[in-house]
């Protein structure tokens, strides 16, 4: 059993017994892709909505994270029957909803588009608000926990 921490723009793949974690998610999003048949999952700590053609850190960007995580799951023996969950995407600055500076909203929208394009169901999400989150995913139990200071812990 191991705990894998995903820092900003980082990713991890876990098997039964492993815990995947992303801390301090403000406008960033913790995305987990879950194999529905095998005990394997992949997590990314997504920072920005668009890579603008950059390929150096694919899980840093919402438009490339899903495809990259799917490749990693395939390499690790996934059945490729995949679902997803995500949390984060807070509005950390006082900007209008339509503002390009509302990175949290833009991250969530871009990830939902990428998931839709890949044919992956988004089972649940906890996005928005103005508070940071920490997420953990227990691969064996398939539990996605979202912790928020002052709001406690919820499973989504």
């Amino acid at each position: 059993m191991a705990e894998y921490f995903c820092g900003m723009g980082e990713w991890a793949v876990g098997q039964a017994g492993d815990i995947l974690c992303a801390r301090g998610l403000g406008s960033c999003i913790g995305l987990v892709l879950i194999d529905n048949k095998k005990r394997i999952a992949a997590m990314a700590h997504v920072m920005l909505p668009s890579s603008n053609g950059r390929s150096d850190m694919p899980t840093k960007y919402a438009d490339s994270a899903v495809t990259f995580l799917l490749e990693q799951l395939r390499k690790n023996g996934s059945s490729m029957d995949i679902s997803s969950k995500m949390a984060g995407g807070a509005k950390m600055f006082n900007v209008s909803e339509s503002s390009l500076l509302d990175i949290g909203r833009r991250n969530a929208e871009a990830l939902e588009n990428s998931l839709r394009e890949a044919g992956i169901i988004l089972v649940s999400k906890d996005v928005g608000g103005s508070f940071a989150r920490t997420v953990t995913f227990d691969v064996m139990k398939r539990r996605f926990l979202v912790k928020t200071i002052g709001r406690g812990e919820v499973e989504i």
Side-chain angles (χ1 to χ4, degrees), residues 5 10 13 17 23-24 31 42 46 50 66 68 75-76 81 92 95 98 102 104 108 125 132 144 151-152 155:
F5 170 70
E10 296 178 344
V13 172
R23 294 186 179 105
L31 170 71
V46 177
S50 177
V66 172
F68 181 83
K75 288 178 184 176
N76 281 275
D81 177 5
M92 300 306 290
V95 295
S98 62
D102 188 355
K125 64 182 180 178
F144 190 60
R151 295 177 182 263
E155 181 177 352

Side-chain angles (χ1 to χ4, degrees), residues 10-11 31 39 44-45 57 65 84 101 121 123 129 136:
E10 296 178 344
W11 61 278
L31 170 71
R39 295 293 195 240
H45 184 145
M57 291 181 70
S84 65
L101 297 177
I121 295 170
V123 176
T136 57

Side-chain angles (χ1 to χ4, degrees), residues 14-71:
Q15 310 272 344
D18 294 337
I19 305 292
L20 307 176
C21 178
R23 294 186 179 105
L25 300 168
S27 60
C28 295
I29 292 183
L31 170 71
V32 66
L33 300 186
I34 306 156
D35 187 312
N36 296 316
K37 295 181 179 170
K38 295 183 175 181
R39 295 293 195 240
I40 184 172
M43 179 178 280
H45 184 145
V46 177
M47 293 176 61
L48 295 167
S50 177
S51 63
N52 293 316
R54 288 186 291 271
S55 60
D56 57 325
M57 291 181 70
T59 53
K60 181 177 180 178
Y61 308 103
D63 64 350
S64 55
V66 172
T67 302
F68 181 83
L69 289 181
L70 287 172
E71 289 172 20

Side-chain angles (χ1 to χ4, degrees), residues 33 66 70 82-84 114-122:
L33 300 186
V66 172
L70 287 172
I82 306 295
S83 60
S84 65
S114 293
L115 291 166
R116 194 176 312 106
E117 288 171 8
I120 297 172
I121 295 170
L122 179 61

Side-chain angles (χ1 to χ4, degrees), residues 88-106:
K91 184 164 81 169
M92 300 306 290
F93 304 103
N94 190 16
V95 295
S96 71
E97 288 292 322
S98 62
S99 173
L100 289 176
L101 297 177
D102 188 355
I103 302 298
R105 177 189 52 78
R106 292 177 53 218

